[in-house]
Amino acid sequence: MSETDQSIVQKQDALIWEGLQTFRYLPDWMTAARDPDRICAAFSEAIPEFRSGQLILHECDSSNVRYKGENWKGFYELTVSKPGESSTSEIHLDGVLSAPGVHPDRPLLVENALGSEDWHAYIPALNLELWTKKPEAVLSSLDMLIDPEQSREYLMNRIRAGSPAYQGLQIQATHPKIVRYKPGSRCTIVYQLDYLPDTNDHRWPELVVAKTYRKEKGQSAYESMRAFWDTALSSSTLVKIAEPLAYDEEMKVMIQGPIRQEITLKEMTVMAVKEGTPQAFDDLTEAMRKTARGLAELHKSGTKLTTLYGWEDDEEQTRESIQELSVSVPQLAAAGLPFLERLDSLEASSEPDPRVPSHGTFRPAQVLMHQGEIGFIDFDSSAMAEPAKDLGLFLCAFLRAGMATVKFDDIEVSSEPLDEAARLRRFERLLDISEKFLDEYERAYMPVNRQRVALFEALELFILVLHAWTKIKVRELNDIIFVLEHFLPAHKILNLK
């Protein structure tokens, strides 16, 4: 390439990066709707019960914020008390946040008594419309699954019908525990099972897991797990996967065996950078190598999956996300699409590796570690895809966890502020571990097109940026942009010098 051509490309890169700077900071009207202090101040001034002193507002928490259509929808939890009382209670609200231009002249509105079923409000200071949260109605199976007696009968019958090896299963009691809950979408429940002493077959599981689903994803997950289980993976010494036991199509409940867990690889990554000792990083590197060998085992398992997945699927979803966001924030389309087109150009000039049976959403959070063994969970999106799909997504999530400077996903990170040089040293150390992960994967399976791994990783990093906008993740956005800014030149995707 001539010096003139290099100069042109560098100017193009600078313009692309300049566009990406538009994503660096969320607008003030978005951050206000997630700031507890600003929410409390606006509610205290607008809602009569707080303004009059009838109720005292102590805390305001927002959660599960998602961009849907032209608005952001989420949940708001208010902690309140009555004057002179030490006990508090919670009021749960559904909220819809709109961009400032959507309702420019709409006045303050508060209807009915706070806490009543028909309470409704619009608060102009936050561009926020609110209603009393409706009870959970989507996951109809939830009440039954957390009842010890009903779940005992249900699990016993379903496992018997779904797994011939457990025809004689006799469960005496279940002890359900909710371990993950996404309101209106899914719930994961772990059961400790008790058996009568004279009926306990040593093959019967001590623990089982039930997952509820809102749509048809449970069926896909069950079929993928069954396909993987019917290969040598079910007895692999390199990686554990859960045994699929049954799927209830009517109730949309999947039942599976357990994967033992002391810590996830995501948690281990955060802990290693928090400790910062050579031993902690050595342990993390070894865990990453084990994970690479486990993923290679999955990829070369020969599992036959019906769904095909490629670059174009991720690219299309990303493009749609940009265009949807630009309805409310118009400047984002012009800012983000040139970067996506650059990735497309680089992808088109590289050759993908052959498709392999893939996890589909492989991240360090899906790697469970127990007494030196590793296990993989969450096969909801399994498909036949090139190895770079799993590898790129995994390494993106690894960098995301390792470079975190603020709490995310309920994981505490180091509270020590890092200067730019310290952050860069951490980034380079994590990149080195990433390369060792890929080296180990290739030793265990086959060489991969590392440029395509980097492209999938870059695309996933950009998707994280978009998620910070669609989910209004105010504090996390800075970490993600930092990683993107240093990742792109490191892998020659953009020249930012």
Side-chain angles (χ1 to χ4, degrees):
M1 184 182 296
S2 68
E3 290 186 10
T4 301
D5 289 339
Q6 289 179 345
S7 177
I8 292 172
V9 170
Q10 190 164 345
K11 288 179 180 178
Q12 291 173 341
D13 289 357
L15 288 173
I16 291 172
W17 181 249
E18 183 180 337
L20 291 177
Q21 297 308 296
T22 307
F23 292 90
R24 185 179 287 274
Y25 301 107
L26 297 171
D28 183 70
W29 58 269
M30 288 176 65
T31 62
R34 291 283 270 165
D35 185 324
D37 293 336
R38 295 174 72 176
I39 296 169
C40 281
F43 284 12
S44 297
E45 184 177 334
I47 298 175
E49 286 84 352
F50 300 137
R51 197 171 59 242
S52 67
Q54 179 183 343
L55 289 175
I56 299 172
L57 178 59
H58 297 280
E59 294 180 14
C60 303
D61 184 42
S62 59
S63 61
N64 292 96
V65 176
R66 298 289 187 276
Y67 184 72
K68 296 182 178 180
E70 300 179 2
N71 307 296
W72 286 261
K73 299 180 180 180
F75 303 142
Y76 287 81
E77 181 180 281
L78 313 184
T79 303
V80 304
S81 69
K82 294 181 179 179
E85 295 185 3
S86 59
S87 61
T88 61
S89 60
E90 284 74 43
I91 297 174
H92 299 274
L93 306 174
D94 286 321
V96 173
L97 171 68
S98 302
V102 175
H103 306 294
D105 301 316
R106 190 174 181 183
L108 172 68
L109 171 70
V110 181
E111 297 178 306
N112 305 310
L114 180 64
S116 66
E117 291 184 3
D118 53 358
W119 183 85
H120 170 232
Y122 178 74
I123 301 178
L126 296 174
N127 304 292
L128 186 63
E129 191 163 10
L130 298 153
W131 298 264
T132 297
K133 189 176 185 301
K134 299 296 186 289
E136 173 82 41
V138 177
L139 299 177
S140 57
S141 58
L142 191 54
D143 288 342
M144 178 271 292
L145 289 172
I146 60 177
D147 178 86
E149 179 53 33
Q150 291 186 72
S151 63
R152 182 194 71 83
E153 189 75 18
Y154 178 79
L155 291 174
M156 189 162 62
N157 292 337
R158 283 293 164 183
I159 294 172
R160 284 176 177 177
S163 302
Y166 300 107
Q167 289 292 312
L169 186 71
Q170 294 284 345
I171 301 175
Q172 182 184 26
T174 66
H175 306 279
K177 178 182 179 182
I178 295 176
V179 295
R180 189 186 306 172
Y181 181 49
K182 184 179 179 182
S185 179
R186 68 174 60 183
C187 183
T188 301
I189 306 164
V190 174
Y191 299 87
Q192 175 75 46
L193 303 183
D194 292 342
Y195 303 100
L196 292 171
D198 56 345
T199 61
N200 187 2
D201 187 314
H202 71 278
R203 296 170 301 172
W204 293 353
E206 296 179 3
L207 298 172
V208 296
V209 178
K211 293 184 175 183
T212 64
Y213 294 82
R214 184 178 61 178
K215 297 182 180 178
E216 305 306 321
K217 212 167 188 180
Q219 180 73 52
S220 300
Y222 177 76
E223 291 172 356
S224 296
M225 290 180 66
R226 173 53 60 188
F228 281 119
W229 186 260
D230 289 341
T231 70
L233 279 174
S234 59
S235 57
S236 173
T237 58
L238 294 178
V239 62
K240 303 294 183 185
I241 62 171
E243 179 182 7
L245 298 173
Y247 181 71
D248 183 342
E249 185 175 356
E250 180 181 355
M251 301 291 284
K252 295 182 174 56
V253 175
M254 182 175 69
I255 304 168
Q256 65 181 58
I259 296 291
R260 299 284 183 176
Q261 172 187 347
E262 294 171 333
I263 191 173
T264 69
L265 183 56
K266 177 181 179 179
E267 292 167 336
M268 186 180 190
T269 301
V270 173
M271 289 173 57
V273 297
K274 189 175 183 178
E275 292 179 21
T277 63
Q279 185 61 54
F281 277 102
D282 286 347
D283 292 344
L284 176 60
T285 302
E286 179 54 33
M288 289 284 283
R289 286 187 170 124
K290 281 186 178 180
T291 302
R293 294 192 290 270
L295 185 60
E297 188 88 342
L298 184 86
H299 283 177
K300 63 183 179 182
S301 66
T303 305
K304 303 301 181 184
L305 302 173
T306 57
T307 302
L308 302 181
Y309 203 93
W311 170 270
E312 63 277 5
D313 297 291
D314 277 345
E315 194 274 354
E316 181 180 358
Q317 292 174 22
T318 307
R319 187 176 295 272
E320 288 177 356
S321 183
I322 295 171
Q323 292 169 340
E324 288 170 1
L325 269 171
S326 67
V327 174
S328 294
V329 190
Q331 64 267 32
L332 295 185
L337 290 175
F339 176 62
L340 192 58
E341 288 159 6
R342 168 58 62 85
L343 295 181
D344 283 339
S345 175
L346 293 171
E347 187 276 334
S349 65
S350 63
E351 187 69 25
D353 293 311
R355 285 190 172 100
V356 295
S358 300
H359 185 282
T361 52
F362 192 57
R363 299 178 175 90
Q366 275 70 50
V367 181
L368 308 188
M369 309 180 68
H370 181 262
Q371 295 182 0
E373 295 183 337
I374 63 167
F376 296 165
I377 61 171
D378 297 340
F379 289 85
D380 301 20
S381 301
S382 294
M384 299 299 294
E386 61 178 294
K389 165 62 177 171
D390 274 350
L391 294 168
L393 173 55
F394 175 82
L395 291 175
C396 168
F398 170 68
L399 281 180
R400 167 73 188 94
M403 291 304 298
T405 62
V406 297
K407 178 180 177 180
F408 75 108
D409 295 344
D410 295 325
I411 297 179
E412 293 288 350
V413 302
S414 176
S415 58
E416 294 292 328
L418 293 176
D419 59 29
E420 191 79 3
R423 293 179 82 185
L424 189 55
R425 285 194 299 272
R426 180 192 290 186
F427 174 77
E428 290 171 347
R429 194 164 196 175
L430 294 172
L431 274 192
D432 179 63
I433 295 175
S434 296
E435 290 300 310
K436 291 175 179 175
F437 169 86
L438 290 174
D439 291 342
E440 191 67 26
Y441 175 88
E442 291 184 333
R443 275 193 292 269
Y445 186 20
M446 65 177 185
V448 292
N449 187 328
R450 295 205 182 189
Q451 175 66 2
R452 292 187 68 85
V453 174
L455 289 173
F456 271 101
E457 198 169 348
L459 183 60
E460 292 294 340
L461 283 168
F462 185 46
I463 289 171
L464 286 180
V465 172
L466 295 176
H467 284 175
W469 281 74
T470 59
K471 301 177 183 181
I472 315 184
K473 294 186 173 184
V474 181
R475 299 174 64 209
E476 297 174 31
L477 183 56
N478 178 60
D479 288 341
I480 301 167
I481 291 289
F482 180 91
V483 174
L484 187 66
E485 181 176 5
H486 291 86
F487 180 88
L488 297 178
H491 289 275
K492 298 181 174 57
I493 295 171
L494 288 182
N495 183 350
L496 303 181
K497 293 183 180 179

